[in-house]
Amino acid sequence: MKSIGQRIIAVLVVVLILGQMLTVGISRYNSLRENAEHTGEKVELTIWYTDAKLNEFMLEAAEEYKEQTGITVNAQLISAVDYIETISEATFMKENGPDLFVAGSDLLQKALYAGLVDDQVSYSETERANIPQKALDAATCNGKLIGYPFYFESCFLLYNQYYAEDWPRNIDQILEYADSFEQTKTTEKVQSIFKWDVSDIFYNYFFIGNYVGLGGVNGDDKAQLSLSEGNVIECLKYYQSLNEFFAIDEETVHNEDVIQEFIDGKIVFTIAKTDAIARLEKAIEEGTVPEYQLEAARDEEGNEIPPREVDCFYGVGDIPNLSEGLITRGLSVTNSIIVNNYSENRAYANDFAHYLSYERAAHLYEQTGKVSVCKNVTAGDPNWERIMVQYAGSVEIPKIIEMSNYWILMEIAFANIWNGADIMTEIGNVVTQMNMQLSE
């Protein structure tokens, strides 16, 4: 929940964004309309995407775009299974492929090698400055910017501000908090000090993310792969040791339940993903967050210290390091809009991709719960600015095709390690499998 001042700032920022984007877009829309009318074309575009949460956003954007340009856009929700293969088949065999499509960074090299990518992505200098370099790198493959960065998912720390005044800088500090924790009237609901979904690699990867090389800055260079060097083993030993303290059942834990327990005041610290914020805000709006009563403290002389003020039950912090010597980096995935190289309307498709990802960025979160990569959308909100910092420093899912099952293998390895399996054996199995695939 934002304070009144933060809400005012956020509203002003949105107004400025909309004003700026309206000014930038009007002349181009007029140009597109005039060009279509001049040639007598009836232009229709088709965009494919795999996430149902985008439905409302896509349909409304299509309606507004048609009003502004006269161009019809058909938005179609498609299965994520064999997504690029389905686009290829529709493009080359059935000749009814999409003009543009939304895809995660892990699919971009596959799309590029399939010939499905038009690399005429265009931003003004001002627009490019409004997009984090992290997002541009995520949409870059083989040295070229091949997509319009759209939205991202990344991890961060959530903590209950009634239980902790600030976020811990490392997990050692969480363990210290646990050792000194005492049940009080304020903390009577607490059942877990630190709990996260240990069954999901997205929430676990931060333990080793700083020490694994996944293809360089753009995630597409096989020469820059490093899967088990450095402190990876030490980090996994630390990870395994936490089962003794927090005893999370890998077979039954689920992120949806973890976030609900956090809302209910049962968890002090957790690792969350960007979509959690919308759920927390909804709980606040619906009044389902429990009430808390902070107790007054006393100084060394016995004088009462008034309770501190808490404006919102949750706070956002950086993903904690493991210790002072073991550093963490969270995982992220950036979705981009790709123009199909075989579209007959590539100029129009590029314009619509720009419109969706940049000019309508201020509407994305409210309609989908997904966070635009545009900096000015999150400006003025301390929590989102902190999340953007985490995103900028995160490890992006790589684009290398041969690594497509790396995450499945690592998720299995993490699960086994959590349950006491030999770390060297588990990581050795993953590295051996990856090396075989990369050498084929």
Side-chain angles (χ1 to χ4, degrees):
M1 180 185 290
K2 309 177 189 71
S3 66
I4 293 175
Q6 291 169 350
R7 290 182 184 275
I8 291 173
I9 291 172
V11 169
L12 290 175
V13 168
V14 171
V15 170
L16 289 172
I17 293 168
L18 293 176
Q20 178 191 49
M21 292 178 175
L22 180 61
T23 301
V24 170
I26 286 175
S27 61
R28 192 170 72 256
Y29 296 151
N30 290 338
S31 176
L32 287 169
R33 180 182 288 275
E34 289 169 4
N35 184 57
E37 291 175 350
H38 177 73
T39 59
E41 294 179 277
K42 182 183 178 183
V43 179
E44 285 196 17
L45 298 174
T46 297
I47 182 169
W48 282 9
Y49 56 97
T50 61
D51 194 325
K53 291 181 180 178
L54 293 173
N55 283 342
E56 179 186 353
F57 177 82
M58 287 291 186
L59 294 174
E60 186 173 298
E63 291 177 6
E64 291 183 2
Y65 192 73
K66 184 173 183 178
E67 290 176 4
Q68 295 165 353
T69 65
I71 296 170
T72 299
V73 178
N74 301 304
Q76 297 181 11
L77 178 66
I78 303 295
S79 170
V81 178
D82 296 328
Y83 185 45
I84 299 301
E85 290 80 357
T86 302
I87 294 172
S88 294
E89 181 180 357
T91 298
F92 300 118
M93 305 295 292
K94 300 180 181 178
E95 297 185 353
N96 64 347
D99 297 282
L100 61 169
F101 53 94
V102 180
S105 47
D106 56 318
L107 296 178
L108 296 195
Q109 190 176 79
K110 180 183 284 190
L112 181 65
Y113 287 172
L116 297 171
V117 173
D118 173 70
D119 60 6
Q120 302 303 309
V121 177
S122 178
Y123 289 110
S124 68
E125 288 185 15
T126 301
E127 291 169 345
R128 186 178 283 264
N130 190 37
I131 300 172
Q133 187 59 47
K134 171 74 170 62
L136 295 170
D137 291 341
T140 297
C141 193
N142 290 13
K144 290 185 177 181
L145 182 63
I146 62 173
Y148 294 83
F150 191 16
Y151 62 89
F152 72 92
E153 292 180 320
S154 194
C155 287
F156 51 90
L157 182 80
L158 273 179
Y159 66 102
N160 188 308
Q161 295 199 101
Y162 286 97
Y163 304 151
E165 293 186 42
D166 198 1
W167 78 80
R169 270 45 182 183
N170 53 58
I171 297 180
D172 278 356
Q173 292 179 356
I174 295 180
L175 295 174
E176 291 171 5
Y177 178 97
D179 285 340
S180 62
F181 179 78
E182 293 182 2
Q183 208 90 38
T184 66
K185 190 170 184 179
T186 302
T187 62
E188 61 186 4
K189 304 178 189 67
V190 174
Q191 296 178 1
S192 302
I193 301 299
F194 186 32
K195 186 175 182 178
W196 73 102
D197 188 350
V198 297
S199 70
D200 191 326
I201 190 64
F202 205 95
Y203 302 98
N204 270 336
Y205 200 76
F206 76 92
F207 281 90
I208 63 172
N210 191 57
Y211 302 105
V212 175
L214 294 180
V217 173
N218 298 327
D220 58 0
D221 185 359
K222 293 181 185 179
Q224 297 190 57
L225 287 176
S226 173
L227 304 180
S228 61
E229 283 77 4
N231 289 315
V232 170
I233 302 303
E234 288 304 309
C235 291
L236 288 171
K237 288 179 180 178
Y238 192 104
Y239 169 78
Q240 190 177 60
S241 72
L242 293 179
N243 198 358
E244 298 177 20
F245 295 97
F246 303 117
I248 305 167
D249 188 341
E250 174 268 330
E251 293 187 357
T252 61
V253 70
H254 191 279
N255 181 62
E256 292 293 314
D257 298 330
V258 171
I259 297 301
Q260 187 57 54
E261 289 175 29
F262 180 82
I263 291 171
D264 294 339
K266 298 177 181 179
I267 298 174
V268 181
F269 306 106
T270 188
I271 303 299
K273 202 166 57 172
T274 42
D275 58 359
I277 299 296
R279 189 167 170 192
L280 299 179
E281 288 294 324
K282 183 179 180 181
I284 292 170
E285 291 173 7
E286 294 178 348
T288 58
V289 177
E291 294 184 1
Y292 295 89
Q293 183 177 345
L294 282 172
E295 299 172 85
R298 293 189 179 277
D299 61 21
E300 294 179 356
E301 298 177 355
N303 299 314
E304 186 173 287
I305 302 173
R308 58 188 172 85
E309 293 185 4
V310 176
D311 62 350
C312 177
F313 87 97
Y314 74 87
V316 171
D318 296 345
I319 289 180
N321 294 324
L322 306 186
S323 63
E324 290 187 3
L326 294 175
I327 310 304
T328 59
R329 285 180 71 193
L331 191 62
S332 65
V333 59
T334 306
N335 281 266
S336 299
I337 303 175
I338 314 299
V339 172
N340 192 333
N341 193 42
Y342 286 86
S343 167
E344 295 180 356
N345 298 301
R346 290 193 297 278
Y348 297 109
N350 271 283
D351 186 80
F352 184 63
H354 184 283
Y355 170 76
L356 271 183
S357 62
Y358 195 86
E359 288 149 65
R360 286 204 98 252
H363 301 284
L364 183 64
Y365 181 72
E366 65 187 57
Q367 293 184 322
T368 68
K370 299 185 180 300
V371 191
S372 168
V373 299
C374 295
K375 298 176 185 176
N376 54 7
V377 173
T378 53
D381 186 313
N383 283 339
W384 282 118
E385 289 179 346
R386 177 55 53 188
I387 293 171
M388 288 293 280
V389 169
Q390 288 293 280
Y391 170 58
S394 64
V395 179
E396 185 76 19
I397 289 181
K399 305 176 180 76
I400 299 169
I401 296 173
E402 293 86 348
M403 293 191 69
S404 60
N405 68 333
Y406 171 71
W407 306 106
I408 297 174
L409 296 175
M410 284 303 296
E411 192 162 278
I412 294 170
F414 263 91
N416 292 340
I417 290 168
W418 182 255
N419 291 317
D422 182 73
I423 294 171
M424 295 297 292
T425 299
E426 293 297 325
I427 293 304
N429 291 340
V430 173
V431 172
T432 298
Q433 182 64 36
M434 284 294 99
N435 287 338
M436 288 176 56
Q437 293 174 194
L438 290 164
S439 62
E440 289 177 355

